[in-house]
Amino acid sequence: MKKLFVLLLVANMAQAQTWQAVPGRIKTPWSEKVTPGQVLPEYPRPQLVRGNWKNLNGLWNYAVTPRSAGNPAAYTGKILVPFAIESALSGVGRTVGKDSLLWYQTTFTRPAGGKKILLHFGAVDWETEVYVNGMLAGSHKGGFDPFSFDITPHLKKKGEQTLVVKVWDPTDQGPQPRGKQVRKPEGIWYTPVTGIWQTVWLEALPETYLATVKQTPDIDQETLTVNTTVVNPVPGDQVLVSAWDNGSKVAETTIEPGGSAVLKIPSPKLWSPSSPFLYDLKLEITRKGKAVDTVKSYFAMRKSSMAKDEKGVYRMLLNNKFLFQYGPLDQGWWPDGLYTAPTDEALLFDVEQTKAMGFNMIRKHIKVEPARWYYHCDRLGMLVWQDMPSGDLGNRWEPRPGIVGRGTDQQRSEASENAYRQEWSAIMDALHNSPSIVVWVPFNEAWGQFKTREITEWTMQKDPSRLVNSASGGNFYPTGHIIDLHNYPDPAMPDADIYGGKQAIVLGEFGGLGLPVDGHVWQQKDNWGYQTFKTAGELFRRYQEYMKKLKELIPLGLSAAVYTQTTDVEVETNGLMTYDRRVFKNPVKSFWEVHQQLYDNK
């Protein structure tokens, strides 16, 4: 055992010597904890857990070639997966662009056990082809949704297997969803993210297995509906579904493979920011009394809805009660990893500190996070508004103070529309089981906004269990549950009677109070905020004034508000924290204390 430990230590040291983070950028405290032998080692999919898996994160070979060229004749060097090639933690720090291809290559051994081997990618931006032992295993388009391939037919019986991944990403020169990535970062537009940026992993499965599980709570009926997809079922197979409360079984039923179960959850414990209770869920495929495949998951009993209050104003409700929702605009960028947090501890830190500052909601702004981020929100009790990442912006409408947009929809190409629809559907499917998500946001500020009524109504039909904010700060139509104003810097609210007063009203963005902190900025010059201050005290006094204004708007009909923003991002210095997460611009306790007045709805 001691000899084995020494060999592993020597191997890890040799691997580490071939990689170092790109110098010259500020780093988070977790950057120093990143080592090639231990990169984001946590199980990446908390909603569908099995034990037999292998993490492929680590040092891979990479090359960048002209798009017109074939396979690379040789690889350039090493890249640390899953950090995007442009990031410091990748060890490379270079751009790729629309005229080039990014290639990855690594080897692995087949996991022990299991007749089927699935290869999973958390996210790859944007167009991906995957080859195993020289054979095409599959392709995928989409920069924010997880995807998998059954690579069993392409594997050798034993020995090393070769994996090659080819990626093309046009960033802002293509019509695909890409969030705030641009070729030339400035202002509110940031560095491109190309290629693999979430965990890559293998899973060993039996011939018959559960591929998907979808769970939807109904607190009024005290039920949980569970839908399953089973691969290669055998006649006579059954799926045993059971719900658990801290080790005690509360419900159980048996269904046919691919069927739907309705579990009765008696006297359910309701999930909320103040009491984020999670039930355990267990599913087993059984054959002649024996378990063929077993997965573990979790769920929560909670309801996101809206209804009129005693004054006839529509309010956003949680569990049939009005709760003012207040949180920061959270863009999920990192100075060392760009889209990718250095460690799971770092990913958790932002959520924990947001909660500690007294916020009860996060608007995840035109980005989708790894599944573990939503898991942290689920278990900590953080409401989430989930944006669809923007793309194909065209001639976007820019919001004016106090004005709700009433422009026209953009005309997008068929390819552009298809890319949007495909990815939005995949994102909603991937995140459906997360109880923390209470609002879907298809569009932001008319950036690429098209066929608003159709997209909004499709979103509502696809997931009736959540509210839909059709276009946060964008062009509004009498569709969806919410009308949303962006107003900088002061708090404001849209007209409660717009479109007949049939929507809840929210302030989807405001604030943006800036304070650059020397030694903790992305660059030394040309940093900015929507309103910049010289001292933390001046900034906080203005923030206190804004909280008083917000409190005055709540009885007038305001259901929620979003402050810009959680952290500085590149040249934007309007975060509650610096970009490197090393400095809070005012004490956490001070924010918590000033926020409590917003939740007293008496």
Side-chain angles (χ1 to χ4, degrees):
M1 181 63 72
K2 183 177 180 181
K3 184 178 180 181
L4 176 61
F5 174 78
V6 172
L7 289 173
L8 289 172
L9 181 63
V10 171
N12 285 338
M13 289 176 63
Q15 193 177 36
Q17 290 171 357
T18 64
W19 171 88
Q20 64 175 356
V22 178
R25 293 295 187 189
I26 56 173
K27 298 177 181 178
T28 66
W30 305 276
S31 193
E32 302 304 322
K33 297 183 179 181
V34 176
T35 61
Q38 192 81 343
V39 186
L40 295 169
E42 296 79 12
Y43 190 83
R45 191 185 56 190
Q47 280 280 3
L48 197 64
V49 179
R50 293 184 181 91
N52 200 357
W53 72 290
K54 177 182 286 190
N55 194 320
L56 296 186
N57 292 342
L59 284 175
W60 294 26
N61 298 316
Y62 86 93
V64 177
T65 66
R67 194 179 176 200
S68 58
N71 292 8
Y75 286 91
T76 306
K78 299 291 185 178
I79 184 170
L80 190 60
V81 170
F83 298 104
I85 190 170
E86 295 90 349
S87 72
L89 287 177
S90 72
V92 182
R94 62 167 290 184
T95 57
V96 178
K98 71 176 182 64
D99 296 321
S100 299
L101 296 172
L102 172 59
W103 297 82
Y104 298 85
Q105 187 269 337
T106 191
T107 59
F108 64 91
T109 56
R110 179 172 179 153
K115 293 185 177 181
K116 294 287 185 181
I117 305 297
L118 297 192
L119 173 62
H120 297 280
F121 293 85
V124 183
D125 197 353
W126 173 69
E127 183 177 275
T128 308
E129 291 183 3
V130 177
Y131 298 85
V132 176
N133 294 324
M135 294 172 281
L136 179 65
S139 61
H140 177 265
K141 291 182 179 179
F144 300 91
D145 58 305
F147 59 97
S148 305
F149 301 122
D150 180 354
I151 62 172
T152 315
H154 311 299
L155 295 177
K156 296 180 288 187
K157 290 184 178 181
K158 59 181 180 179
E160 282 196 341
Q161 319 281 341
T162 302
L163 171 61
V164 172
V165 178
K166 179 174 75 171
V167 179
W168 176 64
D169 180 18
T171 309
D172 57 349
Q173 292 182 289
Q176 84 288 352
R178 44 88 176 174
K180 287 195 170 185
Q181 303 173 53
V182 293
R183 287 167 294 152
K184 299 179 180 179
E186 62 177 351
I188 64 171
W189 308 104
Y190 315 136
T191 302
V193 171
T194 302
I196 298 168
W197 66 273
Q198 288 188 30
T199 291
V200 185
W201 54 293
L202 296 169
E203 187 176 30
L205 300 173
E207 187 76 24
T208 301
Y209 63 91
L210 280 154
T212 65
V213 177
K214 178 182 179 181
Q215 51 234 29
T216 307
D218 185 333
I219 68 168
D220 299 321
Q221 300 298 317
E222 298 188 346
T223 61
L224 178 77
T225 300
V226 180
N227 296 285
T228 61
T229 303
V230 176
V231 174
N232 298 323
V234 171
D237 285 353
Q238 297 286 313
V239 180
L240 181 64
V241 185
S242 55
W244 302 75
D245 174 350
N246 290 319
S248 298
K249 188 188 299 182
V250 297
E252 183 177 75
T253 191
T254 301
I255 59 174
E256 298 294 322
S260 177
V262 178
L263 295 176
K264 183 70 175 181
I265 310 297
S267 303
K269 298 178 180 179
L270 301 184
W271 183 98
S272 70
S274 61
S275 182
F277 183 81
L278 299 176
Y279 290 88
D280 293 317
L281 188 69
K282 184 179 180 180
L283 298 98
E284 288 183 319
I285 300 176
T286 61
R287 182 177 300 159
K288 297 179 180 180
K290 294 184 179 180
V292 175
D293 183 32
T294 302
V295 299
K296 295 179 180 179
S297 186
Y298 65 88
F299 68 95
M301 298 298 290
R302 70 98 184 89
K303 179 180 179 182
S304 176
S305 62
M306 74 174 197
K308 287 184 179 179
D309 64 12
E310 64 278 3
K311 298 179 181 178
V313 176
Y314 276 99
R315 294 287 192 176
M316 297 174 64
L317 306 180
L318 181 71
N319 300 331
N320 296 321
K321 296 180 180 179
F322 172 55
L323 171 67
F324 186 73
Q325 297 184 24
Y326 182 54
L329 194 76
D330 191 312
Q331 307 202 61
W333 285 75
W334 303 81
D336 34 24
L338 298 180
Y339 262 8
T340 311
T343 65
D344 190 67
E345 181 185 1
L347 196 69
L348 172 61
F349 177 83
D350 280 6
V351 181
E352 286 183 324
Q353 297 309 310
T354 300
K355 183 95 174 178
M357 284 187 279
F359 295 102
N360 63 9
M361 175 263 281
I362 292 171
R363 179 180 169 203
K364 180 50 61 176
H365 190 42
I366 54 178
K367 184 202 176 191
V368 178
E369 292 290 355
R372 291 193 62 83
W373 185 86
Y374 300 94
Y375 166 64
H376 294 319
C377 291
D378 293 343
R379 63 187 185 84
L380 293 177
M382 182 61 70
L383 302 171
V384 174
W385 295 12
Q386 179 60 54
D387 287 13
M388 168 63 182
S390 303
D392 198 6
L393 305 192
N395 296 316
R396 63 183 182 272
W397 171 83
E398 294 290 354
R400 291 170 289 163
I403 304 297
V404 173
R406 299 201 194 200
T408 58
D409 279 340
Q410 182 177 318
Q411 297 297 313
R412 292 172 69 158
S413 68
E414 182 179 0
S416 174
E417 285 195 18
N418 288 342
Y420 175 98
R421 293 174 192 271
Q422 179 178 331
E423 190 147 10
W424 186 221
S425 180
I427 289 168
M428 291 180 67
D429 286 340
L431 301 181
H432 177 87
N433 291 346
S434 179
S436 58
I437 299 175
V438 293
V439 176
W440 297 118
V441 187
F443 298 110
N444 175 74
E445 288 188 2
W447 297 354
Q449 186 177 341
F450 73 100
K451 297 184 178 178
T452 306
R453 289 176 185 264
E454 180 183 331
I455 296 297
T456 301
E457 290 167 11
W458 174 87
T459 304
M460 294 167 67
Q461 291 169 4
K462 183 175 175 67
D463 186 4
S465 71
R466 293 177 170 93
L467 298 180
V468 177
N469 182 358
S470 63
S472 182
N475 297 324
F476 275 87
Y477 297 82
T479 186
H481 301 106
I482 294 168
I483 189 160
D484 177 329
L485 172 70
H486 290 185
N487 195 79
Y488 286 101
D490 295 52
M493 60 186 281
D495 182 356
D497 295 324
I498 195 167
Y499 296 131
K502 296 181 180 180
Q503 294 159 302
I505 53 179
V506 308
L507 174 59
E509 291 182 29
F510 81 102
L513 304 181
L515 179 68
V517 179
D518 190 42
H520 301 275
V521 290
W522 181 250
Q523 62 187 40
Q524 292 302 312
K525 297 180 179 180
D526 300 322
N527 294 300
W528 73 282
Y530 287 94
Q531 186 176 13
T532 301
F533 295 82
K534 294 183 178 179
T535 68
E538 291 175 340
L539 185 152
F540 192 68
R541 283 190 289 273
R542 181 62 53 84
Y543 188 84
Q544 287 176 302
E545 293 173 6
Y546 286 176
M547 293 306 98
K548 291 179 181 178
K549 290 182 180 179
L550 266 189
K551 183 175 176 60
E552 294 169 358
L553 295 176
I554 296 172
L556 301 179
L558 190 68
S559 278
V562 178
Y563 177 79
T564 301
Q565 62 185 330
T566 307
T567 71
D568 296 346
V569 183
E570 299 201 353
V571 300
E572 287 187 69
T573 56
N574 44 35
L576 299 162
M577 292 181 276
T578 55
Y579 196 16
D580 58 11
R581 276 73 166 175
R582 294 179 185 271
V583 178
F584 287 86
K585 296 184 183 179
N586 278 280
V588 169
K589 184 179 180 181
S590 297
F591 283 113
W592 186 89
E593 290 173 346
V594 78
H595 291 158
Q596 297 316 299
Q597 62 184 307
L598 302 177
Y599 308 126
D600 180 7
N601 299 316
K602 296 179 182 179

